[in-house]
């Protein structure tokens, strides 16, 4: 019996050549679009820096993942009242729009294909935190999402030095906060704070990783999506002294980008 257990332990330990510390760093670029239905949207260049650090032991892993983004592009918004004098006048406002975003996750996973030497398929979950900040024409805006990622992430080894990688995940929003800081500029009578925690996110990626005599690299294509419902409304007074309703509309964000980096 002891011999059988020893053989099983040796077999499990031989399945994964990459057991140990997980450490990656990469950069990326792509496209970002934020849209509030029938009201405004942005088209932006997205720049990314990403890193993860963790530990894998046989069929289990624990890791922290972080993504930082800067986006810059054009804001295009429709209005029915002139923003300067309040007169009835339909028009389109255009301006440069820029955002900073941080998205981090702490998660644990179990390999569902632990007995395969060529395939990995981790079922993983944990806690995620996303923070967005932008300042357009002096109007500051911030959003915080706390969410639970539920993911499948795996790879297919094509050779000892090359493997295909993939992931598919759902992000369950558990807490959402929004702040529009327009009061200091006189756009509104006071700043606007609201809960905005009805919605969800999704993320998918596909790529590959390579190992050579002098480096270990990865490349992947990523699609990241958020859909968020209306926040609570709030009565206020605008800069013209007219009563108005402030609300953060339902919106969606989609980011499509490529990442390339190094494994250590």
């Amino acid at each position: 019996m002891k011999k059988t257990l020893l053989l099983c332990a040796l077999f499990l330990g031989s399945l994964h050549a990459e057991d140990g510390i997980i450490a990656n760093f990469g950069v990326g670029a792509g496209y970002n679009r934020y849209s509030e239905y029938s009201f405004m949207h942005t088209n932006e260049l997205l720049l990314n820096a990403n890193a993860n650090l963790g530990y894998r032991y046989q069929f289990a892993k624990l890791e922290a993942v972080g993504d930082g983004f800067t986006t810059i592009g054009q804001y295009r918004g429709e209005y029915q009242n002139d923003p300067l004098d309040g007169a009835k006048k339909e028009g389109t406002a255009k301006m440069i729009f820029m955002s900073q975003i941080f998205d981090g996750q702490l998660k644990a996973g179990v390999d569902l294909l632990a007995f395969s030497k060529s395939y990995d398929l981790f079922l993983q979950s944990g806690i995620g935190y996303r923070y967005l900040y932008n300042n357009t024409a002096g109007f500051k805006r911030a959003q915080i999402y706390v969410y639970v990622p539920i993911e499948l992430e795996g790879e297919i080894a094509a050779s000892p030095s090359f493997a295909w990688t993939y992931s598919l995940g759902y992000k369950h929003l558990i807490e959402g906060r929004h702040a529009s800081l327009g009061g200091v500029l006189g756009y509104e009578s006071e700043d606007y704070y609201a809960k905005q925690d009805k919605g969800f996110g999704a993320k998918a990626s596909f790529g590959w990783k390579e190992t050579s005599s002098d480096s270990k690299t990865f490349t992947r294509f990523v699609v990241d999506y958020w859909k968020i419902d209306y926040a609570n409304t709030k009565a206020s007074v605008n800069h013209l002294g007219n009563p108005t309703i402030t609300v953060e509309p339902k919106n969606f964000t989609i980011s499509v980008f490529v990442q390339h980096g190094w494994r250590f």
Side-chain angles (χ1 to χ4, degrees), residues 7-260:
L7 288 173
C8 289
L10 291 172
F11 174 68
L12 285 172
S14 68
L15 292 180
H16 303 294
E18 295 190 12
D19 283 359
I21 295 175
I22 303 167
N24 299 335
F25 174 77
V27 294
Y31 168 77
N32 186 77
R33 181 182 178 93
Y34 172 81
S35 179
E36 296 174 357
Y37 301 85
S38 303
F39 175 65
M40 62 77 68
H41 67 266
T42 69
N43 290 302
E44 302 166 87
L45 170 68
L46 175 151
L47 300 175
N48 164 250
N50 61 88
N52 71 309
L53 180 65
Y55 189 82
R56 172 175 176 167
Y57 180 69
Q58 296 182 9
F59 56 85
K61 71 174 178 177
L62 176 68
E63 64 180 334
V65 180
D67 276 282
F69 301 93
T70 292
T71 70
I72 184 168
Q74 185 187 65
Y75 167 102
R76 182 184 177 96
E78 309 299 326
Y79 61 84
Q80 295 182 330
N81 295 84
D82 191 297
L84 297 178
D85 59 18
K88 290 288 185 180
K89 178 184 176 182
E90 294 186 2
T92 301
K94 298 179 182 179
M95 64 187 73
I96 298 298
F97 191 85
M98 187 174 182
S99 297
Q100 289 77 44
I101 303 168
F102 170 77
D103 196 330
Q105 298 179 348
L106 179 63
K107 54 193 177 184
V110 176
D111 189 359
L112 303 180
L113 301 177
F115 292 96
S116 171
K117 293 184 178 181
S118 301
Y119 302 93
D120 279 340
L121 181 59
F122 277 89
L123 174 63
Q124 55 197 32
S125 186
I127 191 71
Y129 175 88
R130 183 179 189 269
Y131 174 78
L132 175 145
Y133 173 82
N134 57 53
N135 184 351
T136 302
F139 191 92
K140 299 178 182 179
R141 179 171 167 272
Q143 292 177 331
I144 293 174
Y145 301 156
V146 179
Y147 63 93
V148 174
I150 303 170
E151 302 173 344
L152 289 172
E153 180 181 73
E155 63 180 68
I156 302 171
S159 73
S161 60
F162 185 92
W164 298 104
T165 64
Y166 59 93
S167 68
L168 180 64
Y170 168 79
K171 294 180 282 192
H172 179 71
L173 183 62
I174 57 176
E175 181 76 12
R177 299 288 179 174
H178 175 88
S180 291
L181 309 181
V184 68
L185 298 176
Y187 294 144
E188 306 289 344
S189 57
E190 57 186 70
D191 295 334
Y192 170 65
Y193 299 91
K195 292 183 64 175
Q196 196 172 20
D197 50 13
K198 294 181 180 179
F200 69 93
K203 188 175 183 179
S205 72
F206 176 77
W208 59 89
K209 64 181 189 179
E210 298 177 273
T211 301
S212 67
S213 59
D214 57 355
S215 67
K216 296 180 179 180
T217 62
F218 69 87
T219 302
R220 56 178 170 248
F221 297 90
V222 183
V223 179
D224 194 10
Y225 176 80
W226 280 99
K227 182 179 181 181
I228 306 297
D229 208 344
Y230 285 100
N232 299 330
T233 60
K234 178 181 179 181
S236 61
V237 177
N238 65 17
H239 63 290
L240 300 172
N242 300 323
T244 185
I245 296 295
T246 302
V247 62
E248 181 65 12
K250 62 181 179 179
N251 59 77
F252 73 85
T253 304
I254 186 166
S255 304
V256 181
F257 53 100
V258 60
Q259 294 176 321
H260 179 78

